[in-house]
Amino acid sequence: AAGVIQSPRHLIKEKRETATLKCYPIPRHDTVYWYQQGPGQDPQFLISFYEKMQSDKGSIPDRFSAQQFSDYHSELNMSSLELGDSALYFCASSSPDARNTEAFFGQGTRLTVV
Amino acid sequence: LAKTTQPISMDSYEGQEVNITCSHNNIATNDYITWYQQFPSQGPRFIIQGYKTKVTNEVASLFIPADRKSSTLSLPRVSLSDTAVYYCLVGRFTGGGNKLTFGTGTQLKVEL
């Protein structure tokens, strides 16, 4: 079965550079979530999209922005990168089933800022 | 969103049953309880979801009392490969997507 695809899997950037992370949800899933997970920490919710519109916003820095495109894939844009942005970034998707709170997570993108 | 509270860590041995309890005193009527498992450097993986009473699937059982202020994830006969962090989430479909907020999970360590 198709899973959530994230690219790239690994990314190394220098401080003050820009990074773009991509997420391709499971087909027919209309909701995408982004999470940031630092070393030894729990996943922190950043932002989510439902039917290409932002549906919820968490602790996402102003330097970050995201969007969901017409084909439902999503991109997380990160500018003016800081050392503290080094983390695993997970994308998840879920279906339009109103009673199903199951989300499927991708393998993540490991971002290292040097 | 209802805040969840779980033990920080638990230890067990292979073959034993493990029960992890999560408190969610402020759970709302429309909230579902969902448990995820996470291995290091991997994305969380759905284990089980329930609304009330008992739910069982091929990997776990979920017990939810009538007042729904807590829930217990039961893992039968754990093995070394069950060593992971387990998260209890309380969320609901809001018409604009689900709200899935992770709290502090439980680090389960299974030994021989």
Side-chain angles (χ1 to χ4, degrees), chain B residues 49-112:
Chain B
Q49 171 192 291
Y51 183 78
K52 61 181 178 181
T53 63
K54 178 183 175 182
V55 179
T56 298
N57 62 22
E58 63 275 9
V59 298
S61 295
L62 179 59
F63 299 92
I64 305 168
D67 65 6
R68 304 200 327 123
K69 293 183 182 300
S70 67
S71 59
T72 299
L73 174 72
S74 181
L75 303 173
R77 298 180 298 282
V78 294
S79 64
L80 294 175
S81 62
D82 292 316
T83 294
V85 178
Y86 292 82
Y87 292 96
C88 162
L89 278 70
V90 173
R92 72 184 83 101
F93 183 76
T94 63
N98 297 318
K99 287 182 177 290
L100 295 174
T101 301
F102 288 80
T104 300
T106 298
Q107 172 67 64
L108 172 64
K109 183 179 179 182
V110 180
E111 300 175 285
L112 288 172

Side-chain angles (χ1 to χ4, degrees), chain B residues 32-53:
Chain B
Y32 282 76
I33 298 153
T34 313
W35 285 80
Y36 284 81
Q37 175 194 56
Q38 187 179 30
F39 298 110
S41 298
Q42 293 187 24
R45 184 176 73 97
F46 172 89
I47 301 174
I48 197 167
Q49 171 192 291
Y51 183 78
K52 61 181 178 181
T53 63

Side-chain angles (χ1 to χ4, degrees), chain A residues 31 33 35 37 41-43 45 48 50 55-56 88 90 94-103 105-107 110, chain B residues 32-34 36 38 41-46 49 85 87 91-93 95-105:
Chain A
T31 303
Y33 314 80
Y35 293 85
Q37 188 170 29
Q41 297 182 359
D42 304 305
F45 172 70
S48 63
Y50 170 66
S55 58
D56 201 6
L88 263 172
F90 290 109
S94 63
S95 75
D97 184 340
R99 293 194 303 164
N100 189 346
T101 55
E102 178 178 1
F105 283 77
Q107 290 298 318
R110 182 175 295 280
Chain B
Y32 282 76
I33 298 153
T34 313
Y36 284 81
Q38 187 179 30
S41 298
Q42 293 187 24
R45 184 176 73 97
F46 172 89
Q49 171 192 291
V85 178
Y87 292 96
R92 72 184 83 101
F93 183 76
N98 297 318
K99 287 182 177 290
L100 295 174
T101 301
F102 288 80
T104 300

Side-chain angles (χ1 to χ4, degrees), chain A residues 59-80:
Chain A
S59 51
I60 183 169
D62 292 340
R63 300 177 289 108
F64 294 7
S65 65
Q67 58 181 322
Q68 186 177 31
F69 294 86
S70 58
D71 63 352
Y72 293 98
H73 93 273
S74 178
E75 294 183 4
L76 177 66
N77 297 295
M78 312 159 70
S79 63
S80 302

